[in-house]
Amino acid sequence: MTSEELKKKYLEFFKSKGHAIIPSASLIPENDPTVLFTTAGMHPLVPYLMGGSHPEGTRITDVQKCIRTSDIDEVGDSWHLTFFEMLGNWSLGDYFKKEAIEWSWEFLTSNNWLGLDPKRISVSVFSGDENNNIPFDQEAYDIWKSIGMPPERIYRYDKKENWWGPAGKTGPCGPDTEMYYDSGKAECANCTTEGPACDCGKFAEIWNNVFMQYNKTAEGKFEELSQKNVDTGMGVERTVAILNGQKNTYDTDLFEEIIKKIKELATNSNQTSERIIADHLRAATFILGDEKGISPSNLDQGYVLRRLIRRAIRHGKIIGITKPFSFIIAEVIIQKYKDDYNELQKNKDFIIEQLVQEEEKFSKTLARGLKEFEKISEHDVTGHDAFILFTTYGLPIEIVKDLAKENDISVDEKNFEIELKKHQNLSRTATAGKFKGGLADHSEETTRLHTTNHLTLQALRTVLGDHVNQKGSNITKDRLRFDFSHDKKMTPEEIQKVEDIVNEQINNKLDVSFEEMSVEEAKEKNAIGVFEHKYADKVKVYKMGDFSLEICGGPHVKNTGELGHFKITKEESSSAGVRRIKAVLQ
Ligand code: SER
């Protein structure tokens, strides 16, 4: 079974059980500042698990793109990945344990669906947590038994194994029941955990049904949620591997072309390096391709992205790739995924340019960094060494760790993190200070500039063409900053034209109003918006006379006549293929 078939079957199955299919959300969480990436399918659904009403109803199913970097050191083995797709079905205060478990069983074992051998499946349920007064999950246990699961294949695990969430530091969480598939391998000799949760490779966890009935508060307390939810997650990569009797995710159709291309470019072979390159560049391509337009940097998501790309490049050197190659692999990845994630195709130029730039930048410092590492490698790497290797020589911590391993020395990661945090916090305070005026101030000035944003975008499209899309914006009470896709410096004449058009629309005293509609209707009306996977429900469409129609949450002024005189004060490059203007209202 191919990955495509699996995804299709999953969605079809849950559709037949009354679930609405929704598109994958962005990899960058919208409403959760406590984590950098969307780590699970439930993450974008948190507001609804907490009781908010979802426009598509109380039964939802989807395939969500996810990034988890906590296991980055394990990448290269058979199963661990930093990017993966997660199949999920949700009950938002609708069905609970009985239906969730029975449907999981039906989907896994029925010949109409996956048709796995029931005898090879084991399960686990939550054993309870005395400290927090959460009992053994008798209900889940009984349901499994009633389905016919022999009691000796129903394992009881504690919080470490059978508890899930919250995705960030607070939020919905609960006990879970997990399903494992027996690979048929002989028992491992040095199993650390009894039963299928052992990492020895005999069993693979294929599905996790979380019964989200608690909310973890900022004080670390578990409160009963007002509604009982189900959150399930099945990893596409590992399930495809299991269905095809493959021993690892890299043998699946998802990686076939990627690994093939890597081997083609290499002059020697090293399985771990090939896998790290494939995994890291897949994650990097998806982060770059996300509508949020993240670029490699030393902060937050950009920092993770930089580490992924650079580690892939270094492993490229290990297998003898001498020319720039990350973009070549990205092209294969985009080709494989573009039908399911059309943002990759849309942002292809950006992905490629960013990879080329980062590879160029890194290639310049890599040789120096390796030399520097050699100098210090007579002793264990201190936190400060690792910090200097990154900030001065561009070697991310993963590369330092790889090198240390190769030289049989250790790295003081803890002190590295402490020094890096200090450094990042300094730059963050600097940025936060600058930003505060804009965020703290919801005054009329910011509303006026926000309305001006819409006029500016439409004017830019009129003058430069319809390829212009918004790539970012930041408003303070004094000015607007607007990033947009365009690959050339604007000429003075173009800047003048944009100013003239905006001022003309201000003088025309256009009425500003909005209407709520579905994304389809918005598209039909030719509203401007980022038409990737961001809007699943009803959206607000703001109209400014007949001049501008744009999806936006507001707020805006009532009439463009309130805006004043528009002037562009600066036009510059923001990143590859993206220009930035600053403008004021006088
Ligand atoms: N949230 C759970 C997981 O990520 C189930 O979807 O495994």
Side-chain angles (χ1 to χ4, degrees):
M1 188 180 290
T2 64
S3 54
E4 270 317 306
E5 282 163 345
L6 169 65
K7 292 189 238 182
K8 209 164 146 250
K9 271 196 183 218
Y10 189 94
L11 297 177
E12 238 174 61
F13 177 80
F14 282 100
K15 195 173 167 205
S16 79
K17 307 288 184 199
H19 291 63
I21 301 172
I22 60 164
S24 172
S26 162
L27 271 176
I28 317 299
E30 290 273 342
N31 304 311
D32 188 349
T34 67
V35 280
L36 297 176
F37 293 103
T38 299
T39 55
M42 56 77 71
H43 209 163
L45 292 166
V46 168
Y48 311 105
L49 295 163
M50 298 291 286
S53 102
H54 194 287
E56 302 286 340
T58 53
R59 295 182 183 193
I60 305 285
T61 184
D62 69 0
V63 189
Q64 173 66 43
K65 45 182 182 175
C66 302
I67 296 267
R68 279 186 201 173
T69 49
S70 50
D71 294 331
I72 191 165
D73 292 339
E74 321 298 328
V75 172
D77 70 0
S78 304
W79 301 109
H80 287 94
L81 299 167
T82 54
F83 170 86
F84 60 96
E85 292 175 278
M86 190 177 251
L87 298 158
N89 58 284
W90 283 271
S91 156
L92 305 171
D94 188 316
Y95 58 87
F96 204 41
K97 297 184 186 177
K98 185 169 159 29
E99 291 88 337
I101 291 176
E102 285 177 358
W103 288 339
S104 289
W105 189 244
E106 182 184 347
F107 183 68
L108 289 177
T109 59
S110 157
N111 284 335
N112 293 332
W113 304 100
L114 298 191
L116 290 174
D117 178 359
K119 289 200 213 58
R120 289 173 79 163
I121 295 172
S122 301
V123 301
S124 61
V125 297
F126 184 55
S127 62
D129 172 14
E130 273 175 26
N131 294 339
N132 290 297
N133 237 346
I134 301 169
F136 163 61
D137 196 346
Q138 185 72 48
E139 191 184 349
Y141 182 90
D142 291 342
I143 298 166
W144 279 118
K145 239 174 80 180
S146 73
I147 285 177
M149 181 63 69
E152 66 276 13
R153 292 217 311 269
I154 310 177
Y155 289 80
R156 300 173 191 213
Y157 290 131
D158 65 9
K159 225 166 168 181
K160 204 177 132 265
E161 295 293 341
N162 275 55
W163 181 272
W164 207 89
K169 291 207 165 66
T170 59
C173 51
D176 64 49
T177 181
E178 304 188 11
M179 284 147 264
Y180 309 83
Y181 189 70
D182 187 343
S183 68
K185 259 199 213 163
E187 214 72 54
C188 156
N190 42 16
C191 284
T192 46
T193 311
E194 193 208 338
C198 181
D199 265 346
C200 71
K202 178 169 173 57
F203 292 93
E205 181 200 323
I206 42 176
W207 209 345
N208 184 8
N209 286 8
V210 188
F211 306 120
M212 295 202 146
Q213 52 193 110
Y214 298 98
N215 174 39
K216 185 171 181 190
T217 66
E219 295 77 44
K221 291 216 165 54
F222 294 91
E223 290 170 348
E224 283 270 353
L225 279 173
S226 57
Q227 71 182 32
K228 293 195 158 82
N229 308 295
V230 174
D231 149 29
T232 92
M234 173 188 270
V236 171
E237 290 80 357
R238 61 168 61 186
T239 307
V240 175
I242 286 162
L243 289 169
N244 291 302
Q246 288 153 334
K247 301 243 169 339
N248 72 82
T249 48
Y250 298 95
D251 285 347
T252 63
D253 70 284
L254 289 163
F255 280 103
E256 200 181 338
E257 293 298 319
I258 305 174
I259 296 277
K260 194 167 135 208
K261 188 50 116 191
I262 295 171
K263 282 186 184 292
E264 235 173 75
L265 297 170
T267 52
N268 57 64
S269 87
N270 176 316
Q271 191 182 59
T272 306
S273 291
E274 287 159 13
R275 288 176 174 183
I276 289 175
I277 294 168
D279 169 82
H280 285 17
L281 289 181
R282 199 170 66 129
T285 301
F286 269 88
I287 297 172
L288 286 166
D290 202 90
E291 268 315 311
K292 295 280 166 71
I294 307 281
S295 305
S297 72
N298 285 352
L299 211 58
D300 297 340
Q301 288 94 350
Y303 172 54
V304 174
L305 176 61
R306 167 156 287 164
R307 285 152 64 199
L308 290 165
I309 299 172
R310 292 190 173 194
R311 190 167 183 228
I313 292 168
R314 198 222 150 206
H315 278 277
K317 298 269 182 286
I318 294 180
I319 55 173
I321 304 180
T322 48
K323 58 175 191 181
F325 74 101
S326 57
F327 76 97
I328 302 175
I329 306 301
E331 277 172 352
V332 180
I333 297 166
I334 296 167
Q335 183 62 26
K336 174 76 189 167
Y337 284 98
K338 67 180 186 345
D339 294 339
D340 283 350
Y341 300 95
N342 61 22
E343 67 270 28
L344 294 182
Q345 183 64 26
K346 189 170 159 233
N347 297 323
K348 187 172 169 182
D349 292 349
F350 179 74
I351 298 171
I352 304 283
E353 278 161 14
Q354 292 290 312
L355 284 172
V356 168
Q357 270 181 27
E358 184 66 9
E359 191 158 354
E360 217 169 69
K361 219 184 263 173
F362 184 49
S363 301
K364 281 196 195 124
T365 61
L366 177 59
R368 283 200 306 140
L370 294 176
K371 231 195 225 139
E372 185 62 20
F373 182 87
E374 239 170 69
K375 272 195 226 155
I376 61 159
S377 65
E378 278 157 25
H379 56 78
D380 288 340
V381 183
T382 67
H384 185 68
D385 290 340
F387 176 75
I388 297 296
L389 283 170
F390 177 53
T391 48
T392 309
Y393 297 95
L395 293 190
I397 187 70
E398 283 76 22
I399 297 188
V400 175
K401 276 160 60 186
D402 285 345
L403 289 167
K405 209 162 147 194
E406 289 155 27
N407 284 271
D408 222 4
I409 52 178
S410 69
V411 184
D412 182 350
E413 257 187 276
K414 211 168 133 218
N415 278 312
F416 165 75
E417 291 295 337
I418 293 171
E419 248 186 82
L420 185 70
K421 281 264 149 44
K422 248 191 269 163
H423 178 73
Q424 287 177 328
N425 276 339
L426 288 178
S427 37
R428 198 191 295 273
T429 324
T431 337
K434 257 193 269 155
F435 207 60
K436 216 168 153 199
L439 278 184
D441 192 342
H442 294 296
S443 66
E444 276 167 41
E445 281 94 338
T446 54
T447 307
R448 284 163 64 227
L449 284 164
H450 186 191
T451 306
T452 311
N453 255 1
H454 284 220
L455 297 180
T456 307
L457 174 57
Q458 186 51 52
L460 284 166
R461 286 169 71 99
T462 310
V463 174
L464 303 174
D466 282 349
H467 62 279
V468 172
N469 281 308
Q470 179 168 335
K471 283 289 181 190
S473 115
N474 165 255
I475 292 175
T476 73
K477 66 182 192 346
D478 302 315
R479 57 113 182 98
L480 67 83
R481 193 183 80 199
F482 190 83
D483 294 352
F484 58 97
S485 42
H486 184 56
D487 59 5
K488 275 196 285 297
K489 190 171 173 48
M490 287 175 73
T491 64
E493 293 73 35
E494 286 168 340
I495 293 177
Q496 184 66 51
K497 263 194 208 153
V498 170
E499 283 179 349
D500 289 349
I501 293 175
V502 173
N503 282 319
E504 191 187 326
Q505 299 308 328
I506 293 173
N507 291 336
N508 284 347
K509 297 193 174 30
L510 305 174
D511 275 332
V512 179
S513 61
F514 74 84
E515 244 184 276
E516 281 190 290
M517 60 185 83
S518 70
V519 181
E520 279 62 43
E521 280 172 275
K523 268 192 206 170
E524 264 163 37
K525 290 189 192 265
N526 282 327
I528 309 174
V530 184
F531 286 116
E532 254 52 56
H533 295 321
K534 267 167 72 184
Y535 316 114
D537 43 359
K538 286 224 180 286
V539 291
K540 271 188 187 174
V541 175
Y542 269 90
K543 182 172 179 313
M544 301 182 184
D546 286 329
F547 180 67
S548 152
L549 198 61
E550 186 175 336
I551 297 183
C552 172
H556 287 286
V557 300
K558 297 214 156 49
N559 187 289
T560 59
E562 297 168 38
L563 298 181
H565 187 77
F566 174 76
K567 174 122 198 73
I568 294 177
T569 54
K570 192 161 192 142
E571 194 273 352
E572 61 192 346
S573 162
S574 163
S575 60
V578 179
R579 304 298 301 178
R580 165 170 291 180
I581 53 172
K582 289 185 181 158
V584 294
L585 288 170
Q586 296 169 326

